[in-house]
């Protein structure tokens, strides 16, 4: 395995497609895609169309705005090209990509757009789409992730979702869900809009709620500036605080290992699994949140979250055949709980708020990852507080009852902390604990009452916090069987099973995007009517019409 | 087209697979599948496995219990075969079926199980699963649709969902959703259970909430009888009222037309569409609900609902290439509103209640139908009251503004009635009107305020109750373009689009089953890992292991 891997670490000085400029409380993200800058050869990124490389930069910019720019209260997304805002995902790239690549690409772009909404909702950083040219497909979907949509009213610029009429697929980045559930476009109008390739512009786009306002070109720059200033004015972010720099993440990537400061992954290609080990903090927390800021990117909760985030993205994109991830931890539970306590007691502070929401988003990334997740809780582990979420995110967890023979270690414990009781919600709006005990309030209460107690295996299993509690005699065998068995099952069926069982209870726009919309899109992407040699996706741009099997399924 | 079509009309005297016996307040549905009674040749229905033919009888029985047996307050579902309750959908049938057949089959079986839950929730007819042998896959899913699950405790009988480990697909009839969201089985236990082919029985099945009780064989018959009597005792159904017979539905089925008393469908194979015409009642309603019962199956709301129900099922199963259904109506709006009024004012009566819920279920069937729905509202039409739901269920509607040239007809109107404001909820728990105006309360209020007014096209369009209001000059062209264009799009992408836009707002277990679970299953069914020559579904029973592409998607 020496072929090129996709790397998610990037920084503004290396951007090829975006310009990030911050001017006091308003920042501007200008999309100006380098046609020749595709991540892999074989296509040109014309008309501000994007591929994964373009979106990796966008993700980086959104992250940096939150951490490095506490002074920014509004972010304008606009285009650096004339007449075109963004043409969406590059079609040639999509048509040439294998099914798994397309699905993984859509997942990441969805997460980035959800992150934009998260910044608006939870970070006082409100996004404004300044649609200064046509926004089609993924281009309009990018705008839909913004809070306020302004469309230039010039008789030619329009917003559109041409995927269905032109490509025979769905808009893949939440477009349908946001049109119906966020913009509240009436279903019949939405239906019409999504079949009209040329889209809708001007006043009608406003009337139909597709955008918030249409502004003539002469008043454009001034109106955008006014709106951005208004949105920034509502922000509670500190105007003059210094940011925390997201310094280059130290990472050693080998063929069979990925190592960071606190996280290490060992890749077992024969078994089809990855062993992921997370180290707790070596020391107690800094004296206060300002001291934490002084630690900057080294502050343990931020550092470990960045490492996990990068690891998830790396493994998802580069290692699709490693279907099972086994999580272990190592360290002192008390030190994690103390770090959590610092963050939770400082939530009014912008930095503490950012770290908590970043951890929340990273754990959500894990929830929607199409890999089987297993947590292994052994003596010396530290599944406590925020790190317990890794075990609660797992499809199954094993905690050793007692200790290994001839060991003088203390038995493994888990500790449910305050972090599991509120801030780290899943995309369904509930905590992992609430989701776990959905429909079982007594079970929830019994577990929550044991907050901050170190629970040994039998207790934890009785409370329903871990799945199984084998003793040392059965331990190796049980873990081995669980991972080997997992590797023997259909990977597709596992993906479907996990996507269903991980999200009991209510649905939100976010779960609808990942659960309903993405599942339909997966199916459509995989059908000959789209991806077959005569399918719409493959024939687009060839001058030949697609040939459809007309049977409705 | 003279090949054999699937016919959904059946009656107990013709059942091959079920026995329906009613004994006072408790009825028993005994499954005893005729191995040689498969709907199409090529497989034997061993071990009480089922195909569409078996489920058509079950659907008929569930319907008849509601209408013909007002005295029945509890229904026991059990097996007539020793040691086996039900082995689920027949695997050879599934493996040999084309993708579209599998998906349509699952949709119907899902609807029938939702109907069982609807009887329990809304009809005072509570279902009890008397699992007197192993219930695997669809067999356990059938039990899951029941309110109370009793498992015989004999050291061999178990409940299981072996689809993932044995077949590489998901349980296709709501199993995952009901395990997590109805039974509230904890997600990690659910995960384990769904990968353990042999399933779980006895006390553990109770502890894990998979069933409600495990009963040893010596106490089995008596305990089942006791539980059934208890459930029946809670019912509010009238003990001694006579039922309303669901007499054989009169239907003329030709190659290009399907005709019933009030509903007629013309099949246009060249255009890929069906014109469906629904006639309103010829007379006013009967004097009261007892007079309605005397009309029996001829009572217009019941008759027209049965016809629509059969038509939807016939077209869905037998005419997959007719992708667009165009609805028209004809009749006197006042007479429909008067029939609605009779039903709504008599909702305490069991029969009125049944008719309303049946109409609700039939409209829900339309909502989840993978066909484009268009409503055409012309002079002489009667989209009023409960029939307006057809237009509100449509993806688009057209209402003629004014009249056709040289016509002395009155302009077309629609009338929003009380029926649209409550009883006929969609599977998301909202009315079609609420879903239409999801996020737009002012729009909802403005429309609802015009209740019982005959609204001409411009008013209706302004209120957002119809999509477009062309005048007679544009009329033919607009309708023609809408249907021709629809026929030119990818049928798969349309299915995905409609499945998303029809269900704005909240999700329920039912929408999760149709939207999330079914979409994943569609995808999995369509993947080589399941349906390819080396896939698990095709290799099951051959002694060869499936060969998987191990890449996670």
């Amino acid at each position: 395995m020496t072929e090129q891997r996709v790397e998610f670490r990037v920084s503004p000085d290396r951007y090829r497609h975006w310009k990030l400029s911050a001017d006091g409380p308003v920042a501007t993200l200008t999309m100006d895609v380098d046609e020749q800058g595709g991540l892999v050869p074989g296509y040109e990124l014309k008309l501000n169309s994007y591929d994964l490389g373009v979106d990796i930069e966008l993700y980086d910019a959104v992250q940096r705005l939150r951490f490095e720019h506490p002074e920014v209260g509004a972010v304008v997304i606009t285009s650096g090209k004339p007449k075109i805002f963004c043409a969406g995902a590059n079609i040639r790239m999509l048509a040439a990509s294998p099914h798994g690549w397309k699905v993984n690409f859509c997942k990441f772009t969805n997460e980035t757009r959800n992150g934009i909404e998260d910044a608006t909702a939870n970070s006082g950083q409100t996004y404004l789409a300044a649609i200064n040219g046509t926004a089609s497909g993924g281009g309009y979907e990018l705008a839909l992730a913004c809070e306020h949509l302004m469309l230039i009213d010039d008789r030619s610029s329009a917003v559109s979702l041409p995927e269905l009429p032109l490509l025979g697929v769905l808009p893949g980045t939440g477009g349908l869900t946001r049109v119906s559930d966020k913009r509240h476009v009436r279903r019949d109008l939405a239906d019409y809009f999504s079949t009209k390739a040329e889209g809708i512009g001007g006043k009608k786009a406003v009337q139909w709620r597709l955008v918030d306002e249409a502004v003539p070109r002469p008043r454009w720059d001034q109106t955008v500036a006014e709106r951005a200033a208004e949105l920034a004015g509502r922000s509670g972010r500190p105007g003059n605080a210094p940011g925390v720099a997201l310094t280059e993440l130290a990472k050693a990537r080998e063929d069979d290992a990925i190592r960071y400061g606190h996280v290490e992954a060992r890749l077992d290609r024969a078994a089809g699994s990855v062993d992921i080990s997370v180290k707790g903090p070596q020391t107690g927390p800094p004296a206060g949140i300002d001291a934490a800021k002084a630690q900057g990117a080294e502050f343990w909760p931020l550092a470990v979250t960045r490492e996990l985030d990068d690891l998830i993205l790396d493994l998802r994109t580069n290692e699709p055949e490693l279907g099972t991830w086994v999580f272990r931890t190592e360290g002192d539970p008390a030190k994690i709980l103390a770090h959590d306590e610092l963050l939770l007691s400082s939530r009014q502070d912008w930095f503490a708020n950012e770290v908590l929401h970043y951890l929340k988003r990273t754990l959500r990334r894990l929830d929607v990852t199409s890999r089987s997740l297993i947590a292994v809780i052994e003596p010396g582990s530290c599944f406590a507080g925020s790190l317990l979420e890794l075990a609660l995110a797992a499809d199954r967890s094993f905690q050793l009852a007692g200790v290994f023979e001839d060991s003088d270690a203390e038995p493994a414990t888990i500790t449910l902390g305050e972090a599991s009781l509120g801030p780290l919600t899943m995309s369904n709006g509930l905590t992992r604990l609430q989701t776990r005990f959905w429909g079982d309030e007594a079970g929830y209460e019994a577990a929550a009452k044991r907050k901050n107690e170190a629970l040994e295996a039998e207790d934890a299993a009785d409370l329903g916090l871990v799945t199984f509690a084998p003793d040392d005699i059965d331990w190796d065998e049980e873990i081995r069987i669980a991972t080997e068995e997992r590797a023997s099952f259909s990977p597709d069926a596992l993906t479907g099973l996990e996507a269903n069982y991980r999200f009991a209870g209510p649905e939100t726009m976010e779960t609808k995007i990942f659960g309903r919309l993405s599942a339909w899109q997966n199916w459509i992407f995989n059908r000959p009517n789209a991806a077959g040699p005569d399918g719409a996706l493959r024939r687009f741009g060839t001058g030949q019409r697609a040939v459809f099997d007309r049977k409705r399924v």
Side-chain angles (χ1 to χ4, degrees), chain A:
Chain A
M1 283 281 299
T2 51
E3 82 239 27
Q4 213 182 332
R5 295 190 190 95
V6 177
E7 177 57 57
F8 288 80
R9 292 174 303 165
V10 70
S11 58
D13 55 306
R14 288 180 283 157
Y15 290 174
R16 290 186 70 168
H17 310 293
W18 290 90
K19 204 175 75 185
L20 168 56
S21 61
D23 177 17
V26 174
T28 302
L29 263 172
T30 307
M31 186 178 205
D32 193 359
V33 175
D34 176 355
E35 287 192 6
Q36 303 307 319
L39 191 65
V40 292
Y43 51 85
E44 295 185 331
L45 295 172
K46 295 196 173 174
L47 299 172
N48 257 3
S49 63
Y50 59 82
D51 69 355
L52 182 57
V54 177
D55 231 62
I56 287 173
E57 292 182 7
L58 174 61
Y59 173 56
D60 183 75
V62 173
Q63 286 290 98
R64 286 181 194 280
L65 279 162
R66 294 179 78 161
F67 281 98
E68 300 186 349
H69 293 280
E71 80 284 4
V72 168
V75 183
V76 176
I77 294 192
T78 195
S79 163
K81 299 206 191 295
K83 295 263 178 194
I84 183 84
F85 175 75
C86 168
N90 187 273
I91 308 304
R92 285 183 185 281
M93 178 276 292
L94 280 181
S97 300
H99 179 65
W101 177 273
K102 285 198 279 280
V103 172
N104 187 57
F105 167 70
C106 288
K107 187 171 285 178
F108 178 73
T109 57
N110 266 313
E111 288 170 325
T112 301
R113 279 134 198 82
N114 293 344
I116 287 173
E117 290 181 332
D118 187 59
T120 299
N122 299 311
S123 196
Q125 227 166 40
T126 301
Y127 277 71
L128 184 162
I131 310 170
N132 54 344
T134 284
S136 50
Y140 178 48
E141 289 179 298
L142 174 61
L144 282 168
C146 299
E147 185 69 6
H148 189 78
L149 278 68
M150 305 176 67
L151 174 63
I152 198 160
D153 190 0
D154 62 1
R155 287 161 187 271
S156 82
S157 296
V159 298
S160 67
L161 292 176
E163 285 87 345
L164 186 141
L166 295 187
L167 307 174
V169 299
L170 301 185
T173 324
L176 302 188
T177 310
R178 288 199 175 84
V179 163
S180 65
D181 282 60
K182 181 181 184 182
R183 305 284 316 170
H184 304 306
V185 177
R186 225 174 61 216
R187 55 168 287 199
D188 50 345
L189 303 179
D191 178 286
Y192 178 81
F193 168 65
S194 307
T195 62
K196 194 176 158 73
E198 67 272 32
I200 292 178
K203 288 194 182 58
K204 195 177 200 176
V206 180
Q207 280 164 6
W208 286 24
R209 303 176 187 238
L210 296 165
V211 302
D212 294 292
E213 53 183 325
V215 181
R217 189 173 290 279
R219 291 197 284 111
W220 179 254
D221 289 340
Q222 189 195 335
T223 314
V224 170
E226 281 170 15
R227 291 293 174 278
E230 284 166 29
L231 295 175
R234 290 186 220 154
S235 174
R237 284 173 80 86
N240 52 4
V244 168
L246 299 179
T247 51
E248 179 87 3
L249 194 64
K251 172 182 183 181
R253 179 60 155 104
E254 297 152 30
D255 183 43
D256 61 355
I258 309 176
R259 292 192 189 85
Y260 309 85
H262 310 281
V263 177
E264 183 175 330
R266 280 169 296 121
L267 285 52
D268 186 341
R269 296 186 193 284
S273 66
V274 185
D275 272 287
I276 299 171
S277 175
V278 181
K279 283 200 189 76
Q282 301 293 307
T283 61
I289 196 67
D290 287 330
K293 285 176 203 159
Q295 291 186 359
E298 303 300 311
F299 180 50
W300 179 83
L302 176 56
V304 78
T305 301
R306 290 183 75 201
E307 294 173 6
L308 280 170
D309 192 18
D310 187 77
L311 178 67
I312 295 168
L313 291 171
D314 187 323
L315 290 174
R316 281 204 322 207
T317 306
N318 298 312
E319 307 289 352
E321 299 207 3
L322 305 181
T324 304
W325 295 357
V326 180
F327 281 95
R328 288 181 170 81
T329 58
E330 185 186 318
D332 178 359
K335 294 199 174 78
I336 294 174
L337 294 169
H339 275 82
D340 286 352
E341 164 63 20
L342 170 62
L343 286 172
L344 292 166
S345 64
S346 313
R347 286 189 76 177
Q348 299 308 313
D349 178 87
W350 74 269
F351 177 65
N353 181 57
E354 287 306 340
V355 174
L356 282 167
H357 281 294
Y358 183 26
L359 177 56
K360 175 196 76 179
R361 293 194 301 281
T362 302
L363 290 165
R364 287 185 184 188
R365 218 195 267 291
L366 196 58
D367 293 330
V368 298
T369 291
S370 57
R371 302 291 189 279
S372 298
L373 308 175
I374 295 180
V376 172
I377 305 163
E378 294 163 308
S381 70
C382 60
F383 285 97
S386 48
L387 275 195
L388 180 65
E389 292 295 303
L390 293 175
L392 296 176
D395 300 301
R396 293 187 205 171
S397 52
F398 296 84
Q399 182 173 0
L400 181 72
V403 294
F404 293 117
E405 214 182 348
D406 300 326
S407 160
D408 56 1
E410 293 293 308
T413 62
I414 62 167
T415 310
L416 184 71
E418 185 63 28
S420 294
L421 299 179
L424 304 174
T425 53
M426 299 172 60
S427 56
N428 63 5
L430 305 180
T431 63
R432 279 170 200 80
L433 201 69
Q434 288 171 323
T435 305
R436 190 172 187 84
F437 292 107
W438 182 246
D440 177 16
E441 268 187 52
Y444 180 87
E445 292 302 331
K449 230 166 47 184
R450 307 291 290 272
K451 192 173 80 168
N452 294 335
E453 265 186 62
L455 301 166
E456 292 189 20
E458 278 190 22
D459 258 9
D462 283 349
L463 288 167
L465 292 169
V466 299
T467 318
F468 298 115
D471 61 21
D472 66 323
I473 296 166
D474 296 329
W475 181 256
D476 287 341
E477 180 81 350
E478 278 216 30
I479 309 254
R480 187 183 60 74
I481 288 175
T483 43
E484 283 182 7
E485 194 188 59
R486 210 77 181 177
S488 76
F489 293 143
S490 159
D492 306 334
L494 285 174
T495 294
L497 183 83
E498 292 154 5
N500 280 279
Y501 277 154
R502 289 179 186 170
F503 298 94
E507 300 251 354
T508 63
M509 205 162 63
E510 205 171 307
T511 64
K512 280 174 136 177
I513 287 171
F514 288 117
R516 172 184 284 266
L517 183 61
S518 299
W520 282 109
Q521 179 75 313
N522 281 4
W523 175 71
I524 293 163
F525 267 155
N526 212 36
R527 294 268 296 168
N529 281 341
D534 305 326
L537 201 54
R538 296 274 286 276
R539 286 224 163 154
F540 180 73
T542 65
Q544 289 184 291
R545 283 176 73 92
V547 178
F548 293 131
D549 175 349
R550 302 235 57 88
K551 282 198 269 313
R552 276 294 196 114
V553 171

